[in-house]
Amino acid sequence: MRVCVGTIVHHPEDARITHRQIRSLLDAGHEVTFIAPFTHCNVTPSPEIRAIDVPRAVGLHRRKAVRAARSALRRGAKDADLILIHDIELLLALPRRRPPAVWDVHEDTAAALPTKTYLPEPLKNALPPVIRGMEARAERRMHLILAEDSYRERFAHDHPVVPNLTYVPDSPPQPPGDNRLVYIGQLAQARGAIEMIELARRLRPHGIRLDLIGPADADVRPLLRDAQREGVLDWFGYVPNKHALRMAEGALAGLSLLRDLPNFRNSTPTKVIEYMSRGVPVITTPLTRAASLVGRVDAGTIVPFGDVESVVANVAQAVLRLRDNAERRGAMGARGYFEALHHHHWPTIAGEFVAQLERWADTPGSPRARRNDTVVPV
């Protein structure tokens, strides 16, 4: 099977796209053409794929990227058995003559609008019905896979769920240490960036440092640079997922301080599973799914929502309690690792993901005619 995979929004080293899905397709013997912003992200494509470079869609500047993607998808679709896209923007760039197409729905785009600081308020109010209309049109014309079970309620029909699992080491990682916190992911105000900067200042006198691993929204970059110059934290910027997870090993705790916003409420933050997979205790705000996962196996601490000061105070208290109790944090890390290994290991669902794409590639036609799609186990 020849698969054309496309994104203009995500990094070419995105963990879900490249290190899980494309890796699984290649391991199964399939050929992959990957349309992605390689030059923009300073990434050298793997020799295992056929790469097509496009501009990246950033902020309000997306027209050029969509136009380039339209041309790239025409090229990629010529000899493909299936197209797999990862951005809602690419719904506007699909060629009319094409093989069966699949949209991997990563997020609730309409619910995420309040977190997009680059969007003017009138656009935030006007876009939700437009986005819902695009989703409904896509459901009628192509296949969908969903990253979260909760996304089902947005659509009229059933679609396979391919959750954001991770690769879990075969043997337990080193136990948690006592002087370093870690955060992996996009740094944004809605994701607790301000809280983490203040937390780093609060914990510096206690000899605890904070490692922030991930790209940052434009409005928080100056704050991060100032904090790094002060020596209160280390901000590494974007790091490929497999290397970021190695960096997390041995940390006292992993942070997930998402705010109480619609886009986050019914999602399981992937970083929570990733921390657990590396034996790192989790400190998370009480989003339903994150709190349920962490609380059910006692793999970390749940702190309440609140303003910046109250969140920082609660997290600092939780961190110091963990620092002073090596046995407790070691047990939390071990329980999290066991849970991740047995219930959140990507290879356990990779085969069914590939098999689902193979079925769609072999049976072109309207997805509405096949309403009982296979659901990948969560």
Side-chain angles (χ1 to χ4, degrees):
M1 180 173 67
R2 293 164 296 186
V3 183
C4 177
V5 181
T7 181
I8 56 174
V9 172
H10 299 279
H11 195 284
E13 290 281 348
D14 179 87
R16 178 177 175 87
I17 300 171
T18 301
H19 297 294
R20 296 177 196 136
Q21 296 185 4
I22 289 179
R23 181 74 265 158
S24 297
L25 287 165
L26 293 172
D27 288 347
H30 298 302
E31 299 175 19
V32 174
T33 295
F34 189 18
I35 299 166
F38 295 102
T39 298
H40 182 279
C41 297
N42 195 29
V43 170
T44 301
S46 166
E48 295 180 277
I49 63 168
R50 173 193 174 203
I52 301 179
D53 191 26
V54 289
R56 192 175 193 183
V58 179
L60 292 173
H61 308 290
R62 295 174 181 255
R63 288 186 180 179
K64 179 181 178 182
V66 172
R67 285 197 302 268
R70 186 175 292 118
S71 174
L73 283 166
R74 280 198 300 268
R75 289 170 55 196
K78 281 182 180 178
D79 59 354
D81 300 302
L82 189 83
I83 295 176
L84 173 60
I85 62 169
H86 291 268
D87 319 322
I88 193 170
E89 291 84 350
L90 291 185
L91 296 176
L92 305 173
L94 286 170
R96 290 190 177 184
R97 298 187 65 177
R98 61 176 186 259
V102 182
W103 176 26
D104 184 358
V105 183
H106 285 223
E107 68 172 352
D108 185 342
T109 307
L113 291 176
T115 70
K116 310 297 184 184
T117 55
Y118 58 84
L119 281 178
E121 287 302 319
L123 267 181
K124 290 182 182 180
N125 295 329
L127 281 175
V130 175
I131 291 169
R132 296 303 184 212
M134 291 175 69
E135 291 177 341
R137 180 182 173 88
E139 186 177 27
R140 292 192 298 270
R141 292 171 174 256
M142 58 195 299
H143 304 283
L144 307 184
I145 58 178
L146 313 179
E148 293 274 356
D149 187 69
S150 61
Y151 294 171
R152 285 172 161 176
E153 61 193 43
R154 286 159 45 203
F155 297 97
H157 306 294
D158 290 335
H159 303 285
V161 176
V162 179
N164 273 321
L165 307 189
T166 189
Y167 289 97
V168 185
D170 294 332
S171 56
Q174 61 181 296
D178 63 1
N179 65 352
R180 180 172 66 96
L181 301 175
V182 68
Y183 171 86
I184 298 174
Q186 183 74 25
L187 288 151
Q189 290 196 41
R191 297 174 182 271
I194 306 302
E195 289 87 337
M196 288 188 285
I197 292 169
E198 294 307 312
L199 176 68
R201 292 193 174 101
R202 178 84 53 102
L203 292 174
R204 186 184 184 189
H206 298 277
I208 299 172
R209 80 175 195 269
L210 172 60
D211 289 347
L212 300 175
I213 306 169
D217 285 3
D219 60 327
V220 299
R221 285 175 206 152
L223 302 176
L224 291 166
R225 294 189 189 107
D226 289 345
Q228 186 155 254
R229 279 194 291 267
E230 292 174 39
V232 300
L233 56 80
D234 290 310
W235 175 35
F236 294 92
Y238 179 83
V239 176
N241 187 254
K242 61 182 180 180
H243 301 303
L245 294 182
R246 289 195 197 107
M247 292 169 67
E249 290 185 16
L252 190 160
L255 302 176
S256 180
L257 305 182
L258 300 175
R259 294 182 179 176
D260 185 19
L261 294 171
N263 190 39
F264 302 143
R265 284 178 190 147
N266 293 312
S267 297
T268 304
T270 307
K271 62 178 60 61
V272 169
I273 296 171
E274 290 176 334
Y275 299 148
M276 291 167 61
S277 76
R278 299 297 165 140
V280 175
V282 180
I283 298 178
T284 179
T285 45
L287 294 167
T288 303
R289 294 183 177 227
S292 174
L293 177 59
V294 172
R296 179 169 51 81
V297 298
D298 192 17
T301 304
I302 302 162
V303 297
F305 292 119
D307 58 24
V308 171
E309 175 58 31
S310 65
V311 171
V312 169
N314 283 311
V315 175
Q317 187 179 54
V319 169
L320 294 175
R321 283 200 302 265
L322 282 175
R323 183 201 61 176
D324 295 338
N325 193 331
E327 183 178 353
R328 181 168 179 258
R329 67 175 183 268
M332 284 181 167
R335 287 191 291 266
Y337 167 77
F338 185 86
E339 172 71 13
L341 179 63
H342 291 280
H343 300 287
H344 303 280
H345 190 29
W346 168 256
T348 63
I349 67 167
E352 179 53 36
F353 161 72
V354 173
Q356 180 65 76
L357 296 191
E358 290 170 343
R359 288 192 289 272
W360 281 334
D362 288 340
T363 55
S366 170
R368 294 187 64 186
R370 297 179 301 283
R371 295 175 58 177
N372 295 319
D373 289 320
T374 302
V375 176
V376 174
V378 179

